[in-house]
Structures are given as C-alpha cells and as structure tokens.
Amino acid sequence: MKISKAPPSFLIRRARRVDLDAIHRLNRELQTYERKLRLSRLPPRSLTRGYADRLWRIDRRNAGRLFVATSSTRVIAFLACILETDILESHPMALQITDLVVTARWRRKGVGAALIDTAQEFARKKNARSIGITTLAENAQARRAYRALGFRESAVTFERRISTRTEGSSRTRLGRWQSMPAKMGDSR
C-alpha cells in the first residue's frame, strides 16, 4: 500500500515586528538569485534591514500590507504590497505587489499563490480593481509563475543604460541608432 505524503502546511498572516529579520534574510536571498540574472543588482550583503523596516512602516500606515507565510514558527515567505491610484484608469484604485519572496525550499508548493490570494482579499476590501506585480525581464521562472496565477503583461518598461564616461562634448553618442530616420516612414 502506497502512503501519500500530506502537503506541507503553512499559515499566512500579517507580519509582526518580530518577523522583520526573517524578511530581511529572504530579501537577501532574492537579491542573490536576481544578481545571477542581472549583474547590476547590488550584492546581497549591501542590503540593510532598513528596507524591511520601510515595508513595515507602509503596513502600519495602512497604505499597504506586509504578509508572511510561516511553517511552524519560521517565516518562509513574504509579500509586500501598496495601494496606488492611477487617475488615467476607469477604476483608479490598484494594488501593487512590490515584493514577493518564497524561500527556495518552499517554492512550487502554493505558498506564493496563497500570499497573492491574501493580498487580493486585502485589495478587494479596499475597493481596488486590479493587482500588479513586477519582475526582472530576465526572471523567466517568475514570469511563468505569474502567468499561471492569472496575471497578464499590461505594460513594458524599457531601460537604457547611461554611460558614466565623460567625453569632451555634451553631444550624446547614439552609436548604431544615429542613422535612424528623423520621422517614421522616412526611408533615407
């Protein structure tokens, strides 16, 4: 007879001050992973606990929420979100998830989905009509997960790096872009 193993149990709750060190450690874990994807990310050791403290203050002001997932007494994940208003939208109130980190051992076990569901309930109570979340373009794993959870791409952010090298001229070097037509449809 095959015995099926019960899924791991975890609890979602609003963060407490005592959770901030664990949130800080999780944030450093994410930074370690993201730095492998994008070398311009700060080294994890340069992140201070001040960031976790800032998330806590946003929660305390009711401008957003900071949720944690725990197993036994250990924090295994967190989600931070803020309420935003976009006056250009027909339903201007939205919830923006600013941080979602699940420790590696607990990924793909429903923890992130449960945190997002909890944030969605918070958003609903605040009359928000949408939830947004951002990830690095290079983070294919997160992008797949968010699509599987019902998110769709709604905006694309383009980034252009600025050279720190100073040249004798104030003229911008465009490289291969210099020869682009001045107007659309101009075929020079």
Side-chain angles (χ1 to χ4, degrees):
M1 177 178 191
K2 188 175 182 179
I3 300 174
S4 64
K5 197 173 183 181
S9 61
F10 56 87
L11 171 73
I12 306 291
R13 62 170 170 77
R14 193 169 175 187
R16 301 176 188 138
R17 183 175 292 279
V18 69
D19 299 324
L20 294 180
D21 284 335
I23 289 168
H24 176 60
R25 280 191 301 277
L26 285 168
N27 205 28
R28 280 186 167 190
E29 184 178 324
L30 174 66
Q31 193 72 359
T32 299
Y33 175 74
E34 287 186 341
R35 191 165 159 87
K36 291 175 187 171
L37 301 175
R38 183 184 284 188
L39 291 176
S40 63
R41 301 300 269 187
L42 289 172
R45 69 183 176 280
S46 68
L47 298 178
T48 67
R49 197 187 114 162
Y51 185 73
D53 293 333
R54 183 178 145 266
L55 297 174
W56 170 259
R57 286 191 302 274
I58 290 168
D59 180 282
R60 295 298 112 182
R61 287 193 321 258
N62 283 321
R65 279 294 177 269
L66 182 56
F67 297 108
V68 294
T70 61
S71 176
S72 300
T73 58
R74 186 171 166 253
V75 174
I76 59 170
F78 81 93
L79 179 148
C81 55
I82 57 172
L83 291 164
E84 295 181 335
T85 302
D86 184 345
I87 60 171
L88 300 176
E89 292 289 334
S90 58
H91 300 288
M93 183 63 73
L95 187 77
Q96 181 65 33
I97 297 172
T98 60
D99 300 88
L100 174 58
V101 185
V102 179
T103 193
R105 184 167 137 348
W106 282 87
R107 291 186 191 135
R108 301 185 60 82
K109 295 181 179 177
V111 177
L115 282 164
I116 289 171
D117 288 346
T118 302
Q120 182 170 310
E121 279 308 306
F122 169 71
R124 185 176 286 121
K125 289 176 184 173
K126 296 292 186 176
N127 296 316
R129 293 295 203 79
S130 64
I131 299 175
I133 191 164
T134 304
T135 189
L136 293 176
E138 299 89 346
N139 194 341
Q141 181 181 356
R143 291 170 62 143
R144 277 191 304 275
Y146 298 147
R147 282 189 193 104
L149 291 169
F151 289 89
R152 64 174 179 76
E153 290 184 19
S154 64
V156 177
T157 300
F158 290 89
E159 178 181 89
R160 180 176 175 175
R161 295 290 179 174
I162 300 170
S163 172
T164 57
R165 199 173 70 191
T166 56
E167 302 198 11
S169 163
S170 62
R171 189 178 51 176
T172 304
R173 250 185 111 205
L174 295 176
R176 67 182 176 96
W177 294 69
Q178 278 180 316
S179 62
M180 288 190 64
K183 293 189 233 174
M184 293 299 275
D186 185 357
S187 59
R188 282 193 244 189

